[in-house]
Amino acid sequence: MNTENYCIAGRLRMLARVMTGRYNDAFTQEGVTFAQAGLLMRIFAQPGIRQATLSKQLQIEKSAMSRDVQLLQKNGWLTDNLRNGLFLTEEGTLLAKRCHKIWKALNQQVWEEIGPDTVAGLSAFSDKILITNTQ
């Protein structure tokens, strides 16, 4: 492979769009995007997490995080208390659980399609990039 003609960033962006589209399609039935489902599942796992902390954990721009949080609130799935952090409503909790089932099934399917060696390589690559990015 010629390093002069292979753009790693371009390839990663293309793969991210393809995979995000696939995951978005899976969550259409619940009326949320993959990003919104991810937020619901993360808040379910970490009730009371602050928006800024969540933004940092997920490497999401604060403005994008704010838009998704506002939409989740508007739909009645999320409460936001500046002192106590983010919490799911009863309806939001049920949605997060349904989203987790969808995610788990799709993630298993993708895992089987790409195989354990690819997953291990992706994991090693992301660990290296994320460690380098946080130093």
Side-chain angles (χ1 to χ4, degrees):
M1 181 174 304
N2 183 344
T3 59
E4 291 180 21
N5 296 323
Y6 188 87
C7 180
I8 295 168
R11 179 63 82 162
L12 288 171
R13 287 182 56 123
M14 179 180 57
L15 290 171
R17 286 191 298 270
V18 168
M19 292 308 295
T20 299
R22 189 168 174 185
Y23 278 72
N24 277 338
D25 289 347
F27 290 103
T28 300
Q29 66 195 35
E30 294 297 341
V32 294
T33 64
F34 173 53
Q36 293 160 356
L39 290 177
L40 289 167
M41 290 184 287
R42 187 65 78 119
I43 295 165
F44 177 81
Q46 298 178 13
I49 190 167
R50 296 200 186 296
Q51 202 170 317
T53 303
L54 190 55
S55 175
K56 190 173 182 177
Q57 283 179 357
L58 299 176
Q59 297 288 304
I60 297 173
E61 293 287 331
K62 289 180 183 180
S63 60
M65 174 70 71
S66 291
R67 282 191 303 273
D68 278 337
V69 164
Q70 287 174 359
L71 182 64
L72 296 175
Q73 288 173 319
K74 181 180 172 187
N75 287 317
W77 300 322
L78 181 66
T79 64
D80 185 8
N81 182 314
L82 290 176
R83 288 188 173 184
N84 298 322
L86 300 169
F87 291 91
L88 298 178
T89 62
E90 237 181 276
E91 189 178 340
T93 297
L94 295 174
L95 177 58
K97 289 178 180 181
R98 290 192 308 271
C99 286
H100 184 260
K101 286 181 183 177
I102 294 167
W103 171 84
K104 192 173 180 180
L106 180 56
N107 211 55
Q108 181 64 39
Q109 181 183 4
V110 171
W111 183 290
E112 290 169 5
E113 287 174 12
I114 65 175
D117 291 342
T118 302
V119 173
L122 178 60
S123 184
F125 173 71
S126 63
D127 288 348
K128 183 170 184 127
I129 295 298
L130 292 173
I131 287 170
T132 302
N133 195 40
T134 57
Q135 292 178 348

